[in-house]
Amino acid sequence: MTTGIIYWNADPVIVDFGFFAIRYYTLLFGTGIFLASWFAYRIFRENNIPAETFTTLFYYVFFGIVLGARLGHCLFYEPAYFLHHPLEIILPFKIENGTFELTGYRGLASHGGAIGVIIALFLFCRKHPYSMLRLLDYIAIVAPLTAAFIRLGNLMNSEIVGEVTTVPWAFVFVQLDKLPRHPAQLYEAIAYLVLFFINIFLYQKKEKNYPQVFSQG
């Protein structure tokens, strides 16, 4: 029998006020965005991009992430339900059998958020004289940091689990089944953090050879 198995049965809710609950996934998702934005701000400042421009871009990207992630979950994973309950896509509550329940936004898809970022950048660059590809370069440097925190949120939700395994560090996700599995969320979180630090290293070494973020003409 495999030894050293970790029995994982984390409660995804940090605190429940009855009418509103704070969840690990939401907190980690937000923390990842905040930290990535802080690093992005420093990169933009080093490249002489005005703070007010960065603020405007932040709002574009933030809403692109949130809307894209929400729509991605609703349309990719539960289209039948949300097409019959369209208000629940944009409103953090549901009314069922005459009962009002504040649910929050329990469904977010990170790949939907990535699509939302690309659309947001496209819209931003239509109104501002910046190269979309160059902005994508900058955001790609810090994006893995957000992704790492999202995967930690998946761990707290006991979702996106790995294959059944006999490795000594296997996790048994009690809320899912009784089988030892690879902690795929941790693997991905670590990989994203490594990629983030590699990106920062390469940026600091190579930035002087990159073209300017401003479009020509």
Side-chain angles (χ1 to χ4, degrees):
M1 182 177 180
T2 303
T3 60
I5 290 178
I6 298 173
Y7 287 85
W8 188 258
N9 191 26
D11 187 344
V13 177
I14 301 174
V15 58
D16 191 343
F17 297 103
F19 64 93
F20 177 73
I22 299 176
R23 297 173 177 272
Y24 282 103
Y25 185 88
T26 303
L27 182 63
L28 289 166
F29 200 115
T31 300
I33 292 176
F34 172 79
L35 292 176
S37 298
W38 184 79
F39 279 101
Y41 174 75
R42 295 190 60 177
I43 291 172
F44 278 49
R45 185 177 62 183
E46 290 171 359
N47 288 273
N48 301 314
I49 299 176
E52 57 271 20
T53 300
F54 175 82
T55 300
T56 301
L57 177 61
F58 171 82
Y59 286 125
Y60 271 81
V61 172
F62 177 79
F63 285 109
I65 291 174
V66 174
L67 293 175
R70 181 60 179 164
L71 290 173
H73 171 83
C74 295
L75 299 179
F76 297 157
Y77 296 110
E78 300 181 81
Y81 176 84
F82 284 103
L83 289 176
H84 285 86
H85 303 82
L87 287 179
E88 291 184 28
I89 296 177
I90 58 175
L91 299 177
F93 62 81
K94 67 178 180 180
I95 300 176
E96 189 171 346
N97 298 324
T99 302
F100 174 87
E101 180 184 356
L102 185 61
T103 59
Y105 296 109
R106 294 182 180 178
L108 297 171
S110 55
H111 45 291
I115 295 173
V117 169
I118 294 173
I119 294 174
L121 287 176
F122 173 78
L123 295 175
F124 176 84
C125 291
R126 290 188 64 182
K127 294 186 176 181
H128 300 82
Y130 292 88
S131 164
M132 180 174 172
L133 290 179
R134 193 69 186 99
L135 291 178
L136 278 171
D137 282 344
Y138 286 142
I139 291 176
I141 294 172
V142 301
L145 185 58
T146 299
F149 278 85
I150 290 173
R151 286 296 174 258
L152 292 177
N154 295 137
L155 177 65
M156 300 307 296
N157 282 347
S158 295
E159 59 190 4
I160 312 184
V161 300
E163 297 291 334
V164 175
T165 182
T166 58
V167 297
W169 58 85
F171 275 49
V172 171
F173 294 94
V174 176
Q175 299 174 26
L176 178 65
D177 54 34
K178 304 300 181 182
L179 301 175
R181 296 177 176 274
H182 282 290
Q185 314 95 324
L186 282 179
Y187 295 166
E188 291 192 36
I190 293 170
Y192 282 131
L193 285 175
V194 171
L195 180 59
F196 167 71
F197 287 115
I198 291 174
N199 285 349
I200 290 293
F201 173 79
L202 293 176
Y203 164 75
Q204 292 176 340
K205 292 295 183 180
K206 302 295 184 179
E207 170 60 20
K208 64 181 180 180
N209 297 321
Y210 288 167
Q212 293 299 309
V213 69
F214 285 99
S215 298
Q216 300 298 320

